[in-house]
Amino acid sequence: MTESAFHKIKRGLLEALDIAQAGDEEIADRLKREQAAQDAIRDRIAAQGKAQ
């Protein structure tokens, strides 16, 4: 996946967080964890690119 794709995923997750109601804390928590996982993957790919 390209960095552009990760930005699109992140933007989508942020939009989903905005949509989630305050009472839907479980959904919001899952979205936050998913966003953190995507950020970690993007950071690893970026680090690999810098190492080359």
Side-chain angles (χ1 to χ4, degrees):
M1 248 188 226
T2 65
E3 189 170 342
S4 174
F6 282 109
H7 285 294
K8 289 178 184 177
I9 292 168
K10 184 176 181 178
R11 188 176 27 206
L13 290 169
L14 290 173
E15 288 174 13
L17 280 172
D18 288 339
I19 293 170
Q21 303 264 337
D24 294 337
E25 291 179 24
E26 181 180 338
I27 293 170
D29 287 343
R30 277 192 251 154
L31 289 170
K32 287 178 187 175
R33 286 192 303 271
E34 180 64 25
Q35 179 181 345
Q38 292 293 332
D39 288 345
I41 291 168
R42 188 186 74 234
D43 291 344
R44 275 187 260 148
I45 289 174
Q48 287 175 354
K50 289 179 183 176
Q52 293 179 355

